[in-house]
Amino acid sequence: MEFIIDALLGAGALGASIYCLELSRRLRQFNNLENGVGGAVAVLSAQVDDLTKTLDTAKGTADASNKSLESLTDRAETVAKKLELMVASLHDMEETKPTTAEPIFSHRMMKRGA
């Protein structure tokens, strides 16, 4: 009886060692840097680094564009205020109607080049 138990225990140990060897072989293939997942992880890591650099460059460009747009917007607002004042001052001026005898653009003005 004791011999049978020892034989079964030996067979179990032999089966476990074969199973461990097969797992070791598969793990080595899995972590292979050229063909396995290890290679894919290395490639993805390099791509993440490249994308991070590209993102930093794009962020810098966007910040520069934002500053430029802010300055242009400020200038446009200033010019719009000046134009509003000019239009308001035009409304305050007296309207002069041209006489029927002489049109607004007379022949004399055209001859002078005005």
Side-chain angles (χ1 to χ4, degrees):
M1 185 59 122
E2 200 173 300
F3 178 72
I4 295 173
I5 293 174
D6 286 342
L8 288 175
L9 188 61
L14 182 64
S17 64
I18 291 172
Y19 181 71
C20 286
L21 286 174
E22 180 65 21
L23 283 178
S24 171
R25 184 183 66 81
R26 288 184 182 181
L27 185 62
R28 219 175 300 122
Q29 287 177 348
F30 185 74
N31 287 332
N32 186 357
L33 289 178
E34 292 177 9
N35 300 325
V37 174
V41 169
V43 168
L44 288 174
S45 177
Q47 288 177 346
V48 166
D49 289 342
D50 290 342
L51 287 174
T52 302
K53 290 176 185 176
T54 304
L55 183 62
D56 289 341
T57 303
K59 185 179 177 184
T61 303
D63 288 342
S65 296
N66 187 27
K67 288 178 184 176
S68 174
L69 284 174
E70 283 178 357
S71 71
L72 288 174
T73 303
D74 291 340
R75 286 181 55 201
E77 287 175 355
T78 304
V79 169
K81 288 178 185 177
K82 288 180 182 179
L83 285 174
E84 287 175 1
L85 287 173
M86 287 180 180
V87 169
S89 67
L90 282 177
H91 288 294
D92 293 341
M93 293 176 62
E94 291 182 27
E95 290 186 22
T96 58
K97 295 182 181 178
T99 61
T100 56
E102 189 173 333
I104 296 173
F105 294 104
S106 65
H107 294 290
R108 286 180 286 159
M109 293 173 87
M110 287 183 182
K111 288 179 184 177
R112 282 188 277 166

